[in-house]
Every structure is written in C-alpha cells, then in structure tokens.
Amino acid sequence: VPFFYSSFVISQVNHIERQYLQDWLALGSFPSHELDLTFLPIPKEGTVVTGTDEKARTWKLLKSVYKDAHLYPFYQEQTDSTLYLFSQIESPRDQIIYLTFTGINYQDQLWINETEIGIQVSNTTYTYPIEVYLKSGLNVIYLKVSSDTILCQMWDPSKIETITGQVADSNGLSVTGAEINLLRDDRSIYRTMADNEERYRIVIEPLSGKFDLSAQKGELGAWYFGLSTEKGKAIEANLSIRPSVSLSGLLANFTDKPHENIVVEAIPKKYLTDESENYGLYVISDTNGRYRFINLKPDTYYLRCHNRDQYIYHQEQKKPKSIFIPSKNSQQEIDFKFGTRQLRFLTSF
C-alpha cells in the first residue's frame, strides 16, 4: 500500500532555495520498528496516532530556526526510541538534487515520494550525499530517526561543485568504508566515506583554488593533489590506497617502561608558530607505548610529545629536528625516552 497523498497539506514545505530542511512534523517517540512507513498516511499538525502499546501520540510542529533540527524534546521514552518526521520539498520542475544528512543511525529510514532511499550511517563529522529525483510540485519526505539532532541540506547540482570517485587497493580491488577528506590550504573542509559500492561523492559550495584529497582505511592511504573543480560539473578523482604508515615509534621511560595514552603531535614545519594548534596532527600512544601516524601528507614535520609545561621534541644536538615525509611512502621509526614526572596523561580526547 503506497502513501496516501492529500492536496490540503500545505505546511512543512521546504523550498530548495532555503538549502536546509527546517520545517517538519514530528511524531513520537515509539519503540523501534513500531510503525511501517509504507502505511503511514500524510499527516497534519494535531493528527493523533496510537501505537501497539495503545499510547496516543500527536504529530507536532517542528520549525527549526537553526540549520539543524533538535529532536530531543520530542522523545518520550528513555531508551530504544524512534521518531517519525514528515516534511515536503517544493520543486519548480522535475529535477535531480542531492540531499546530505548528518546524524543518521544505521536503523534509520528515509522515504521520498513512495520510494525508500538507501542512506548510510553518518555523524556530525561525515556526510553522505544522496542523489534524489524530485517531481515538479510537492515532494513528500518521511524520515524514521533515533538521533537527538539531524541536519539535512539540499543541493542544486547546477550551483555546486561535485567530486566523485572510486577507492581501490593496489590490486585494483574496490574498498568499502574508506575515509575521504577534502582539504584546502591544509584545512579539512569536507569529510565523507566510500559507500557500499566503494564510491564516494563530495558536494560543496563553489570555491576557487586548488584542493587536496586523501583516502584512508586502516593502515592504507592515498593522496590526490592539486584538484580543481568547476561549478555545475562533476569531477572524477579515483584513489588507489596502499600501505601508508608514515611515522611510528615507542615512547618509554629510562627503564624502558612504555608510556601509554600520551599525545604525540606532528606539525608541518611551516606552521611551527602560534598556528600550530590549528594544523597539528595528533595520535595517542597505545598500551605498549607505541604510536603511529598514517597517511601523512608529504611535507616536512616536527614531531613532539606533550607534557605539562613544555613539549618534548624529536631532537638532534638538543635542537628540534625536522622529518621529511616523501610522496612515496617510506615508514620512519622514531622513538622517545623521557621520565614520568612531567607527563601529561590523556584523560579525554
């Protein structure tokens, strides 16, 4: 049984020009898998729905003044709860757009115009663009969520820059779940992951200049340098990931007892100033005192451990010694030895 459409529904309409879905109706909360979206009629504010637990819930208006939608006030249960959201997108014509969601969990579901759309798990860091066909007029959206906050953005392909590609290993085999990171001037501006078909898609506002692209999964990594984009055009950038442990080593005291949970930082030489906090890359030593930096961008770095009132640098003749990371991966092993009195142990990171 498809959705039941009704011409009188005019609220919760989001226009593509607004870019964000901010107007919804919310229903909940329910235990997981309580309602079947395929049998859920189009609601209006105040419509009452009774669950299998015989509790009545009411569709309530959610109009967010922010880009994201805060859902916590709509939860009535403490654990194992689900909300149902309803909204509409008004399109001036038949067209394809991209939707990006953050805050989506693995059990969540998305329906657009009677069709269930596959969505991947995301969080506040990773975003997954979904290609969606919109018909002219109103397009119905149902979303089943279990998150406290979601962010849904609409992207017009003619007004954005798109980068797509496939991630493979050195044998040409596709890789699922690789982390993709787009950087401009050494700053991350977009993060996503390769999907279940081993492909990724990045959608961004038009930006000038050159970009760098990295891919990483486990100890495998790759870089794509000097990427240029063009408004309204999709750029293909395939990545072949290979073993990419750039720096590793052991942290120990003078009796060779390992230091665990210690922050180790690699700073590009050009940023060894007050800006280092914005550009430093951090890892934490494990229970055996070992640390690893994977897939560092080719550059010259300084390496240091954190203690309470100073940094312990990798040194030569009592001066910080720089380390060059070449474009072709060549793992370097650098150990540190220092006492325990001045260490800053990591309690949260």
Side-chain angles (χ1 to χ4, degrees), residues 12-247:
Q12 294 72 55
V13 174
N14 297 270
H15 301 277
I16 294 177
E17 293 75 15
R18 292 178 58 186
Q19 293 190 322
Y20 297 92
L21 267 72
Q22 297 168 288
D23 293 348
W24 301 84
L25 288 180
L27 178 70
S29 55
F30 292 87
S32 296
H33 311 295
E34 173 72 18
L35 299 180
D36 186 346
L37 285 176
T38 58
F39 290 90
L40 201 60
I42 287 184
K44 60 181 179 179
E45 185 180 4
T47 299
V48 176
V49 176
T50 302
T52 56
D53 58 2
E54 298 184 354
K55 291 183 179 179
R57 280 92 167 174
T58 303
W59 283 100
K60 297 179 181 179
L61 183 64
L62 168 59
K63 292 181 70 71
S64 178
V65 296
Y66 305 102
K67 294 178 180 179
D68 51 0
H70 298 277
L71 308 177
Y72 183 79
F74 297 93
Y75 284 99
Q76 299 171 2
E77 310 294 336
Q78 296 298 316
T79 59
D80 196 30
S81 294
T82 297
L83 291 181
Y84 294 87
L85 303 179
F86 163 77
S87 190
Q88 297 178 106
I89 299 176
E90 185 171 27
S91 177
R93 61 187 180 279
D94 293 352
Q95 63 175 319
I96 291 176
I97 68 166
Y98 295 119
L99 291 179
T100 56
F101 286 91
T102 56
I104 299 298
N105 294 319
Y106 72 92
Q107 70 269 34
D108 296 345
Q109 293 176 284
L110 171 67
W111 289 78
I112 300 179
N113 293 338
E114 303 183 37
T115 302
E116 184 172 7
I117 308 295
I119 53 178
Q120 291 197 79
V121 176
S122 68
N123 54 34
T124 55
T125 303
Y126 298 104
T127 304
Y128 301 92
I130 303 167
E131 189 176 82
V132 175
Y133 172 77
L134 297 182
K135 63 181 182 179
S136 177
L138 293 178
N139 296 264
V140 173
I141 296 179
Y142 279 104
L143 187 61
K144 171 187 169 184
V145 296
S146 53
S147 307
D148 290 340
T149 304
I150 61 166
L151 173 68
C152 180
Q153 188 167 0
M154 300 174 284
W155 303 81
D156 182 345
S158 66
K159 299 178 181 179
I160 61 173
E161 297 174 345
T162 307
I163 305 169
T164 62
Q166 187 168 26
V167 182
D169 62 19
S170 57
N171 296 318
L173 300 176
S174 298
V175 177
T176 302
E179 176 185 325
I180 312 297
N181 195 5
L182 184 68
L183 301 98
R184 185 187 185 198
D185 298 328
D186 294 326
R187 290 180 179 270
S188 175
I189 61 172
Y190 195 103
R191 298 166 72 91
T192 186
M193 297 183 76
D195 62 20
N196 296 330
E197 297 179 354
E198 301 86 31
R199 293 190 62 82
Y200 71 89
R201 179 184 287 124
I202 292 173
V203 292
I204 56 174
E205 299 285 354
L207 295 171
S208 60
K210 300 287 186 177
F211 302 87
D212 296 325
L213 190 67
S214 72
Q216 181 182 330
K217 184 175 183 181
E219 295 187 357
L220 304 177
W223 284 88
Y224 193 116
F225 299 107
L227 188 66
S228 297
T229 59
E230 184 177 339
K231 181 179 177 180
K233 183 177 179 181
I235 304 298
E236 184 84 5
N238 297 322
L239 294 156
S240 178
I241 58 177
R242 302 173 183 274
S244 297
V245 179
S246 305
L247 286 174

